[in-house]
Amino acid sequence: MLITPGKLLAKIDSPEDLRKLDRTQLPQVCNELRQFIIDNVSVYGGHFGASLGVVELSVALHYVFNTPDDQLVWDVGHQAYGHKILTGRRDNFHSNRTYGGLSGFPKRKESIYDAFGVGHSSTSISSALGMAVASALQNHHDRQHIAIIGDGAMTAGMAFEGMNHAGATDSNLLIILNDNCMAIDPNVGALKEYLTDITTSQTYNKFRDEVWNMLGKMSNFGKSAQEVVSKVEAVMKTAILRQSNLFESLGLRYFGPIDGNDIGHLTEVLKDLKSIPGPKLLHCLTVKGKGYGPAEKDQTKWHAPGVFDKITGEIKKKVYDTPQPPKYQDVFGNTLVELAEKNPKIVGVTPAMPSGSSMNIMMKAMPDRAFDVGIAEQHAVTFSAGMATRGEVVFCNIYSTFMQRGYDQVVHDVCMQELPVIFCLDRAGLVGADGPTHHGAYDIAFMRCIPNMIISSPMNEQELRNLMYTAQLDIVQKGTQAFTIRYPRGNGVMPQWQTPLEEIKIGTGRKIKNGTDIAILTLGPVGNYVTDACDILDKEGFDVAHYDMRFVKPLDENMLHEIFRNFDRVITVEDGCLQGGFGSAVLEFMVDQGYNSKIKRLGIPDALVEHGEPSELHHECGFDTEGIISSVRSFMHTSASVRV
Ligand SMILES: Cc1ncc(C[n+]2csc(CCOP(=O)(O)OP(=O)(O)O)c2C)c(N)n1
């Protein structure tokens, strides 16, 4: 479906075109840009509310600054749709997040206007500061470097590390704090309170009003009282802010708060800031979902709503005649509450993903025992470790990709301290439309090399429940090992998923199917592809054995001995990187034990897999049903063509 841009937007093929417009035309550009985003996302899906909230910022930044020479760094990047549309990608925007299409995030390879590739949060200040320092070293003293960071992303340690460095330099850095009081869920923590405080001016504005009143009454001033007040206010502001403003204390000049949805004022202020050297921060207040009623009202739901009817605001969901399998995240969320009802020591931790991980189910049911700690994966891990030292049974739920940020904490604060923290790694494996920044590709490899770590992955909902049940039992909790359970984004395979909870013996796999020709070993839900493949291969006369190994650490050694004694051809399948992953673990076992079967490993190759539907990406990597069938055939020296 072709989405037609408005009259002005249709002529903006680059920011140069935008800069040719008269200032009075900018409100219309904003309207058209907003409408274009609504039209596109309603049909093609994607992130939504965040981009609507920064329409004015996107227009103002490209209008005032000399992009791409001036460097714009969008934090996270889920809000950069306006930026993409203004920078030559309007006519291709319908391909956003689809296989072979535009990335949903800024990406250096995609455009010279994307100064830095993003997806994970809170990197903008450090990267923009790096650019600013490089510009100074290269004598580009006029170049501007702008980090646009949300109040959610500002809660992360990295943002503070960047500010701490920036404030001690004279770098040409402008940080725009896009404060909409939201992360995906409502923003949390003391910083949020602080931002609300300076916005509602408990300190500075109250003082300013008092001065205003006092001087206003002194009508015998020769000049107008207002002029005097302005001067006094400026002096007071500097004095008060130095002492009480967090950003000023860190050496950044603080400006604002201003209405970030007021295009006129925004362009004025940005123009002024251009001529103020050194590190500075502009505090903009914006509304997430601005301009689309339902998105303003329910900002969490409209963070990434999927396709919707833009007239009625109805989010379109597929309707099925029969009960469907649940999302793995919901099995996690509901099972956690079920377990916590019986085990009072259980607590839950999420770094800013209550809805995404379904930890919100426990937060609602047991608000004292479930914690959203903000976008702070490192803290989430060590905070969990702290609770574990005192005997709490901690389920720390972090998306696989974001766990990369908490790695040292897993090593140093959990495993070296022999603490039985339970890590539930959601979105493990290829996640789909979010692409390479979000694929949970590496966790098996990076967790597997740490001592004191159990690593498991369920093939279905029942297994997930049983692994969670096992992890909180004394057999684990009185021990010295952390327990990782990785599971993917999306739905499982069992409509009737509320099965009785049963212990799984740690380090044991399951034989799913007997066979004699070849053994396929799987970890996690990719096992279901093998089940399907076996049905087809059986009909072709291949007698395939299938083992769901369940644990990559410890491996089921008895099972592996049985496999290597009986099969000279083995295939491993995993939704994870091949380097150092599950297949590597099986190979290591084989070599260490002196077996010499032929092994073929299927999984994510040593390359960045781009975005697309998970099924498309699994196919590309060759570990969907069709890929597995092909591998079996070629392994068995058959050249029959693939038909699934
Ligand atoms: C390191 C990391 N953790 C978690 C996320 C998931 N995430 C994406 S957007 C978002 C909220 C960001 O909030 P904010 O910066 O305020 O931007 P807004 O959506 O409100 O514009 C979160 C938690 C992420 N991208 N990166």
Side-chain angles (χ1 to χ4, degrees):
M1 179 181 170
L2 194 67
I3 311 274
T4 319
K7 223 169 60 202
L8 290 179
L9 189 61
K11 292 199 190 109
I12 300 174
D13 292 325
S14 77
E16 292 254 306
D17 296 329
L18 173 69
R19 292 193 278 267
K20 283 182 203 141
L21 297 179
D22 190 82
R23 203 169 267 256
T24 55
Q25 296 175 290
L26 296 186
Q28 190 185 330
V29 174
C30 291
N31 285 343
E32 293 181 8
L33 185 56
R34 183 164 273 120
Q35 194 55 50
F36 193 71
I37 293 171
I38 295 170
D39 291 348
N40 263 282
V41 179
S42 65
V43 175
Y44 300 110
H47 288 101
F48 188 55
S51 280
L52 289 190
V54 296
V55 160
E56 286 76 15
L57 260 170
S58 312
V59 170
L61 284 166
H62 281 293
Y63 190 73
V64 171
F65 291 97
N66 182 30
T67 53
D69 190 51
D70 288 341
Q71 309 280 293
L72 294 189
V73 183
W74 296 89
D75 207 281
V76 185
H78 63 308
Q79 79 291 53
Y81 290 8
H83 157 84
K84 289 200 168 210
I85 293 160
L86 293 171
T87 53
R89 287 166 273 185
R90 180 198 57 225
D91 294 342
N92 199 16
F93 195 67
H94 59 273
S95 73
N96 190 33
R97 291 164 58 89
T98 59
Y99 195 63
L102 291 178
S103 163
F105 300 96
K107 190 168 186 148
R108 278 156 46 84
K109 256 198 303 196
E110 194 176 283
S111 166
I112 48 166
Y113 292 92
D114 294 356
F116 203 65
V118 273
H120 288 203
S121 86
S122 319
T123 60
S124 62
I125 298 175
S126 300
S127 56
L129 177 62
M131 292 169 198
V133 167
S135 292
L137 288 171
Q138 294 158 15
N139 289 322
H140 293 298
H141 296 289
D142 291 338
R143 184 173 291 149
Q144 309 283 328
H145 312 85
I146 303 119
I148 307 107
I149 179 165
D151 55 307
M154 194 58 116
T155 60
M158 256 201 97
F160 283 87
E161 292 168 33
M163 284 194 289
N164 184 46
H165 182 183
T169 70
D170 57 2
S171 300
N172 217 353
L173 174 72
L174 169 62
I175 300 169
I176 296 192
L177 173 58
N178 171 38
D179 183 1
N180 57 21
C181 299
M182 291 294 290
I184 295 175
D185 296 271
N187 200 9
V188 293
L191 181 71
K192 184 202 97 172
E193 305 297 336
Y194 174 74
L195 293 176
T196 310
D197 190 47
I198 42 177
T199 302
T200 52
S201 8
Q202 304 279 323
T203 44
Y204 157 62
N205 281 351
K206 182 159 170 275
F207 193 73
R208 182 192 62 187
D209 291 346
E210 277 168 15
V211 173
W212 186 275
N213 285 342
M214 186 184 76
L215 294 181
K217 280 179 200 142
M218 298 166 79
S219 47
N220 53 352
F221 268 101
K223 288 185 176 188
S224 93
Q226 285 207 356
E227 239 176 71
V228 179
V229 169
S230 296
K231 280 196 186 134
V232 173
E233 188 193 334
V235 175
M236 292 297 179
K237 181 180 173 187
T238 313
I240 294 168
L241 284 182
R242 283 252 163 81
Q243 286 166 22
S244 70
N245 184 283
L246 173 70
F247 305 106
E248 291 268 342
S249 324
L250 285 171
L252 304 164
R253 294 192 65 183
Y254 171 86
F255 299 90
I258 64 164
D259 179 353
N261 292 124
D262 177 345
I263 183 70
H265 191 208
L266 203 51
T267 40
E268 292 290 332
V269 172
L270 289 175
K271 218 170 136 231
D272 289 346
L273 289 182
K274 233 171 131 169
S275 55
I276 297 176
K280 49 206 169 282
L281 181 139
L282 174 64
H283 186 180
C284 291
L285 305 178
T286 62
V287 176
K288 199 162 176 173
K290 176 83 180 172
Y292 189 72
E296 286 189 29
K297 254 191 231 127
D298 191 342
Q299 295 170 322
T300 299
K301 185 163 149 194
W302 289 84
H303 179 81
V307 296
F308 59 94
D309 182 327
K310 67 180 177 185
I311 309 292
T312 62
E314 186 203 344
I315 295 172
K316 294 179 188 162
K317 293 243 151 69
K318 274 192 194 152
V319 184
Y320 298 92
D321 298 338
T322 50
Q324 292 300 298
K327 289 182 179 165
Y328 280 103
Q329 67 177 75
D330 288 334
V331 177
F332 162 81
N334 287 302
T335 305
L336 184 60
V337 171
E338 194 178 328
L339 293 169
E341 274 162 359
K342 299 207 183 81
N343 181 347
K345 294 238 145 140
I346 288 179
V347 291
V349 176
T350 172
M353 303 305 276
S355 309
S357 68
S358 294
M359 183 68 81
N360 57 1
I361 300 174
M362 183 171 184
M363 288 168 72
K364 193 160 169 232
M366 304 172 178
D368 296 342
R369 291 166 60 187
F371 304 90
D372 175 3
V373 299
I375 308 183
E377 288 79 10
Q378 299 175 314
H379 166 66
V381 173
T382 306
F383 171 63
S384 299
M387 287 199 283
T389 64
R390 308 310 304 151
E392 297 295 323
V393 175
V394 192
F395 281 82
C396 177
N397 187 309
I398 301 186
Y399 283 18
S400 164
T401 188
F402 302 140
M403 182 52 111
Q404 290 160 202
R405 229 176 237 186
Y407 188 55
D408 179 55
Q409 285 71 13
V410 174
V411 177
H412 180 271
D413 300 335
V414 175
C415 292
M416 281 189 186
Q417 318 227 19
E418 304 188 341
L419 293 168
V421 175
I422 303 157
F423 294 114
C424 291
L425 303 188
D426 195 337
R427 297 338 189 239
L430 295 168
V431 293
D434 280 337
T437 55
H438 284 59
H439 292 325
Y442 311 114
D443 61 271
I444 301 175
F446 70 60
M447 288 298 208
R448 201 167 75 75
C449 53
I450 313 173
N452 288 330
M453 175 62 83
I454 296 164
I455 308 168
S456 63
S457 186
M459 189 168 143
N460 58 33
E461 293 88 324
Q462 180 174 17
E463 291 284 301
L464 173 55
R465 281 168 62 71
N466 289 344
L467 285 168
M468 289 178 68
Y469 173 71
T470 304
Q472 54 89 52
L473 293 176
D474 278 356
I475 188 168
V476 173
Q477 291 301 319
K478 296 246 182 299
T480 55
Q481 295 190 290
F483 197 119
T484 293
I485 308 171
R486 76 182 309 258
Y487 52 88
R489 175 177 173 271
N491 295 65
V493 289
M494 297 176 62
Q496 307 303 327
W497 58 274
Q498 277 154 317
T499 48
L501 293 162
E502 282 169 21
E503 182 182 344
I504 293 178
K505 194 159 176 292
I506 290 166
T508 59
R510 306 184 298 163
K511 188 194 279 188
I512 304 286
K513 181 181 171 300
N514 282 317
T516 51
D517 290 337
I518 190 167
I520 305 185
L521 280 53
T522 59
L523 183 78
V526 285
N528 298 298
Y529 283 146
V530 176
T531 304
D532 296 344
C534 284
D535 289 345
I536 294 165
L537 288 163
D538 262 2
K539 287 182 197 127
E540 294 182 11
F542 296 113
D543 193 12
V544 180
H546 176 201
Y547 297 84
D548 165 25
M549 295 304 290
R550 277 203 297 226
F551 291 86
V552 60
K553 190 175 182 181
L555 282 166
D556 186 337
E557 301 206 345
N558 291 335
M559 187 170 268
L560 286 177
H561 280 298
E562 178 194 314
I563 292 165
F564 284 112
R565 274 193 215 113
N566 289 301
F567 295 91
D568 59 4
R569 292 185 188 89
V570 170
I571 294 179
T572 61
V573 190
E574 64 200 293
D575 189 1
C577 65
L578 287 170
Q579 274 67 21
F582 163 67
S584 295
V586 173
L587 265 178
E588 287 164 19
F589 174 88
M590 183 185 80
V591 172
D592 292 348
Q593 298 297 323
Y595 295 107
N596 62 355
S597 303
K598 286 187 188 134
I599 295 199
K600 188 171 178 59
R601 293 174 300 133
L602 303 182
I604 302 173
D606 185 16
L608 294 176
V609 177
E610 299 294 343
H611 52 280
E613 287 296 320
S615 56
E616 291 171 317
L617 305 181
H618 294 168
H619 184 68
E620 178 185 308
C621 294
F623 62 81
D624 62 347
T625 303
E626 192 177 322
I628 292 162
I629 291 171
S630 289
S631 287
V632 170
R633 284 176 183 153
S634 65
F635 219 7
M636 301 297 292
H637 305 294
T638 305
S639 55
S641 65
V642 179
R643 203 168 297 134
V644 176

